Structures are given as structure tokens and as C-alpha cells.
Amino acid sequence: MKKIVKLFLIMTVIAMCLSLTACGGSTTKVELSQYLSVSYTGYNGNGTPRIDFDFADFEYGIMSQWKDKDKMEKLGELTAVETTITYAADVSEGLSNGDTITVKISLNEEKAKEYGYSFTGLEKKFTVEGLTEPIKIDPFAEDIFGSGKIVDATLEGIDPFVCLYLYNNADLSDPIRHITYKADKDWNLKNGEVITITATMDEKFQQQGYLLTRTETTIAIEGFDRYASASSDLTNDVLQRISDRAYQECANGGSVDIYDGSSNMTPWGATIENIHVGDTALLAVNNQIDMEYSFLLVPVYKTITTNEWYDMAANANVTKTWENVIGYYKFTDVTVHPDGSVTYNESYVELNGNYTDTNAADTIYLNQLRSTYTFIEVPMP
């Protein structure tokens, strides 16, 4: 009889140990899936799950079972376990109403067991619902996008300095205002180039169900005036007009300062004769947006004579003549139009000095430009 009683007591102790953690305390069993919930953002066909685990209810459900004794210690242990809880859905995007997703919970089960917790319900299935149909917007529709439109895309300038000016002028309350437009290139554009404009919707509005029906478009750069950049750009007609203008500028007078490479001479009472335009002009071409792109330098030769040149040896005024003095007349804004005609800035033609000969002109004037410009020879009519 004593043996039977002793055996019963041993079995009772074993049963109690099985219900305790390390035979030192009770095990708290918790069903975790009850604290999971899922909401959805986006639109039908492109939904995204937003998973929530109600930690507040989870904590309350456990702490409400505690007695006042050892509460602080238990709270620390619970927090240590709680911080290891993570969760994720097996599908995180592209959802449609009626789809099924599974949310799985992960945690440090060894730590949970150490502190006397046993968790079940580590995954739960949800059926997607509540996603609205997308609100479709064509960001490049004719009534939205273009020059003078709500999204103003305007091209201005002269090849190779055509620029794209892109502004979204929609009202703040308009979803279009929350579309970002970006060009792959928006300045220093030339005829024949094609630029690509991309459009992206602000994520907040995507979550509200807005859908862009397309995300890019292209714009061809064409039909713009262009600055002359080759000898073939200049027609005989414009070259003749330029030649006549250069001749007339010289015939009308102006500066008679003469540079010889070492000094600057200014003869008094000088006259200009034997004016003739050179056989070859120079088209200066550059490709820096912050500098003049191209201009035409037309050489004009003349003879400068003065009867008031002071001869120090003779101590008297004598006649002095400089033959084949060269001066370059600068013609700017030489522009080729889509119809093939060519114009230039007729309001101002600049003389860049008179030089005793071509060597002096090259050394003093042209060499200063060669670091920036390439010279193209243009036969004059």
C-alpha cells in the first residue's frame, strides 16, 4: 500500500513538472494569430497589404493574468520576447480582390520557452478585399501636357542651344500636380535629337488608387533656327550682303588705329583708300552654352594715308602710307532658318582692329580666339 501511494506521488510531481517551465513555473500559452489584421492600399490589381500586429492587446491579454508579485520581472521577460516578434505576408504587391495571402509570424522560440511562453497560431490566411478600381490618368494627354498646357512643356532657343522648359502648374488639389515629370535632357538641344520625358505618380496618390496609363513620351527637336556651323550653311546671297556691308562699314570711316604687333599707331588726318574685301572669311564655331556659338569674321583690306606723320629725324610732318592694312569685321547671330534662308544681326557690325598685315592680325587677334573657337574658311563671292 505504501508503495502504491509513493508511486502516485511521483507521477503527480512529474505531471506538475510537465506543466511548468524547467519545473520552476507555469507555461503561458498564447494564440498569436488573433492579434493579426491586414488592410490594403493601392487599387484592384495592384494592391499592397499593410499588416498590423496588435501589441497592446497582446500585452494586455498576458499581463491581465499576472499577480502583483514579480510583475516588474515578468514585464522585462515579456518585452524581451515581444521584441523578437516579426511578421510578413507571402505576397506583398500586385494584389487583386479575392486573392489569398498568408501572413507568417516569426519569433525567438528558445527565448520564449526560457521565459515560460508557448505560442501557437504562427500563420494566418487572409482574403484580399476592399480594393477600388484604379483611377486612370494619362499624364501626356493633349489637354494636360504641352506648350501652354497645365503641364507646360515648351521648347525655346536656337540650335544648338534649344532648351526645354517644363513646369507642372496644376492646382495642389489636382492629382496631376503630384505627378513628377523629368526629361533625360533639357538644354543644349539640337535639331534631330529626341528627348524622353518620364512621369511618376507620388506614392501617396498611388495608394489612393491613381494609375498612370503610361509613364513616358518622346519629343523630337525639329524646325528650330540654328546658328551657322559650316561653310555650306552660308548662301551666296547672304555672303554677298555681308560682303557689301563690310565694305560699306569700312568706307564710312571709323577707327584708323593700326597695330603692328609691338605698338599702336593712330595717324591724324588719315584717309582710307583701295578698300577691298578678302577672298576668304572665317566662320568661328564654338559649342559652349555660356559663350557665343558662332560668328563670321570678314577681312577687309585698305590703304591708310596721312600727311601729318611726324618724322622725328626730319623734325617735320611727312606723308605716311600703310598698304594692305587688314581689319576683321565681326558679323554675329548668323542664323540658318528652316526654309534655308540665312540672316545675321544687321543692327551692329563690329570692327576688331586694324593690323599692318595678316601676321600681326593673326598674332594679336586671331590667336586669342583659337583657344575657344575653331575657324572654318568660307570663300567670299
Side-chain angles (χ1 to χ4, degrees), residues 30-291:
V30 182
E31 166 67 41
L32 293 182
S33 63
Q34 63 183 310
Y35 301 110
L36 283 173
S37 62
V38 180
S39 58
Y40 304 94
T41 59
Y43 51 84
N44 190 24
N46 192 35
T48 301
R50 180 173 292 172
I51 306 165
D52 181 63
F53 186 89
D54 194 337
F55 284 99
D57 275 2
F58 167 72
E59 292 169 355
Y60 178 79
I62 294 175
M63 294 171 65
S64 62
Q65 303 176 42
W66 294 347
K67 297 179 181 180
D68 291 339
K69 184 180 180 181
D70 299 328
K71 267 192 174 183
M72 293 303 297
E73 180 181 351
K74 288 180 177 294
L75 180 59
E77 294 173 349
L78 176 60
T79 302
V81 173
E82 190 176 25
T83 56
T84 71
I85 295 175
T86 60
Y87 41 85
D90 59 343
V91 182
S92 59
E93 58 184 4
L95 297 174
S96 301
N97 289 327
D99 289 348
T100 299
I101 64 172
T102 300
V103 178
K104 294 184 178 181
I105 299 174
S106 299
L107 56 99
N108 188 328
E109 296 191 48
E110 289 186 5
K111 187 179 289 292
K113 183 178 180 181
E114 177 184 350
Y115 293 134
Y117 293 100
S118 175
F119 296 118
T120 58
L122 297 182
E123 66 176 55
K124 186 176 182 179
K125 293 185 180 297
F126 294 89
T127 299
V128 180
E129 58 184 1
L131 290 171
T132 60
E133 293 304 313
I135 305 168
K136 296 181 180 180
I137 298 176
D138 181 356
F140 302 109
E142 289 187 8
D143 60 335
I144 293 175
F145 182 86
S147 182
K149 304 296 178 60
I150 295 175
V151 180
D152 193 342
T154 300
L155 290 165
E156 293 181 358
I158 298 177
D159 174 343
F161 300 138
V162 177
C163 293
L164 171 68
Y165 298 95
L166 189 57
Y167 301 102
N168 189 334
N169 299 312
D171 188 81
L172 283 172
S173 61
D174 189 336
I176 295 171
R177 180 61 178 270
H178 302 278
I179 300 173
T180 299
Y181 294 85
K182 187 175 181 180
D184 61 344
K185 186 177 181 182
D186 57 13
W187 65 281
N188 215 14
L189 302 170
K190 303 177 183 179
N191 287 317
E193 293 185 335
V194 176
I195 58 176
T196 300
I197 313 294
T198 57
T200 54
M201 172 67 78
D202 184 278
E203 185 176 353
K204 173 185 175 182
F205 279 77
Q206 291 184 53
Q207 293 174 353
Q208 293 177 14
Y210 290 94
L211 170 66
L212 299 183
T213 58
R214 51 178 170 159
T215 58
E216 70 176 40
T217 192
T218 57
I219 298 177
I221 311 302
E222 56 188 7
F224 284 88
D225 291 345
R226 62 183 178 86
Y227 289 118
S229 60
S231 176
S232 58
D233 289 336
L234 304 176
T235 63
N236 285 334
D237 173 68
V238 74
L239 288 175
Q240 187 62 61
R241 288 189 285 118
I242 287 175
S243 178
D244 294 343
R245 177 67 181 272
Y247 180 92
Q248 196 61 48
E249 287 287 329
C250 184
N252 289 341
S255 173
V256 291
D257 290 350
I258 306 173
Y259 300 89
D260 64 3
S262 60
S263 60
N264 177 19
M265 299 169 284
T266 307
W268 293 354
T271 59
I272 300 176
E273 299 175 309
N274 301 325
I275 302 170
H276 60 282
V277 177
D279 294 333
T280 305
L282 297 175
L283 179 62
V285 180
N286 177 37
N287 194 23
Q288 297 183 29
I289 197 168
D290 57 343
M291 300 183 69

Side-chain angles (χ1 to χ4, degrees), residues 313-333:
N315 194 26
N317 286 338
V318 297
T319 300
K320 176 73 173 176
T321 300
W322 294 268
E323 296 182 349
N324 288 320
V325 174
I326 181 174
Y328 282 99
Y329 286 84
K330 181 180 178 182
F331 291 79
T332 59
D333 298 330

